[in-house]
């Protein structure tokens, strides 16, 4: 049986947000597309990631005004990637290595983001229990994301 790839499981063509956008705009975009993460920058130049958790923990919990605060001030400035051709197991190993539960997916040239792969999506979409068990094993003892 052929191993599933990141390309087969990723959410394709993720919405991207500018670092100059407000946290309010980021939250509204997340709500409208029903996601919890947005790459920051442009599809060819990602400078970070902003999550719903970043907005709550880094801004709202500190009484920052989401209508004034910029995404760039609260984003995670390091984005981690896998390739479209990486297997679920390879992607899970990268998640473990970097202590994250989401990876941006780059095309074959490595010059453009084509999707986002989350561990939650792997759990929801993979039918092969053995493959899920192996991916979970590869994630064991990772840092909390």
């Amino acid at each position: 049986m052929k191993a599933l790839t990141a390309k087969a499981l990723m959410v394709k063509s993720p919405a991207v947000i500018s670092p100059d956008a407000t946290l309010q705009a980021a939250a509204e975009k997340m709500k409208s597309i029903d996601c919890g993460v947005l790459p920051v920058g442009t599809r060819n130049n990602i400078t970070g990631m902003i999550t719903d958790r970043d907005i709550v923990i880094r801004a709202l919990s500190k009484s920052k005004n989401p209508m004034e605060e910029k995404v760039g001030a609260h984003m995670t400035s390091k984005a981690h990637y896998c390739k479209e051709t990486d297997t679920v197991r390879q992607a899970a190993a990268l998640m473990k290595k970097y202590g994250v539960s989401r990876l941006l997916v780059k095309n074959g040239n490595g010059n453009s983001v084509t999707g986002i792969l989350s561990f939650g999506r792997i759990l929801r979409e993979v039918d092969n229990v053995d493959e899920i068990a192996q991916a979970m094993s590869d994630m064991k003892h990772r840092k909390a994301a």
Side-chain angles (χ1 to χ4, degrees):
M1 182 172 169
K2 188 175 177 185
L4 285 172
T5 62
K7 184 176 183 176
L9 292 175
M10 71 185 187
V11 172
K12 294 171 179 52
S13 301
V16 177
I17 196 158
S18 166
D20 296 324
T22 64
L23 294 178
Q24 181 73 32
E28 288 171 0
K29 186 176 262 194
M30 287 178 192
K31 180 181 177 190
S32 73
I33 60 176
D34 192 28
C35 76
V37 63
L38 294 169
V40 180
T42 66
R43 201 164 305 287
N44 295 330
N45 184 27
I46 300 299
T47 58
M49 303 262 283
I50 187 84
T51 66
D52 48 5
R53 188 173 192 278
D54 292 335
I55 294 169
V56 171
I57 301 298
R58 295 181 181 170
L60 298 181
S61 71
K62 297 177 181 168
S63 300
K64 302 287 184 177
N65 184 342
M67 294 169 56
E68 295 175 0
E69 292 293 314
K70 303 298 183 192
V71 166
H74 300 282
M75 69 183 189
T76 300
S77 59
K78 181 68 176 159
H80 298 287
Y81 302 87
C82 68
K83 297 177 281 192
E84 289 179 339
T85 55
D86 285 348
T87 65
V88 168
R89 193 169 176 187
Q90 289 170 317
L94 288 170
M95 289 177 189
K96 177 182 178 184
K97 177 180 177 180
Y98 297 120
V100 298
S101 58
R102 298 173 179 118
L103 294 170
L104 293 173
V105 182
K106 284 193 172 185
N107 66 1
N109 300 338
N111 60 2
S112 183
V113 171
T114 57
I116 295 178
L117 180 64
S118 70
F119 195 70
R121 187 158 175 96
I122 292 170
L123 292 176
R124 287 188 301 275
E125 300 294 328
V126 175
D127 291 328
N128 182 331
V129 175
D130 292 333
E131 195 160 4
I132 291 174
Q134 187 58 57
M136 290 180 77
S137 175
D138 292 342
M139 289 288 291
K140 190 167 81 177
H141 305 299
R142 73 174 181 86
K143 296 183 287 185

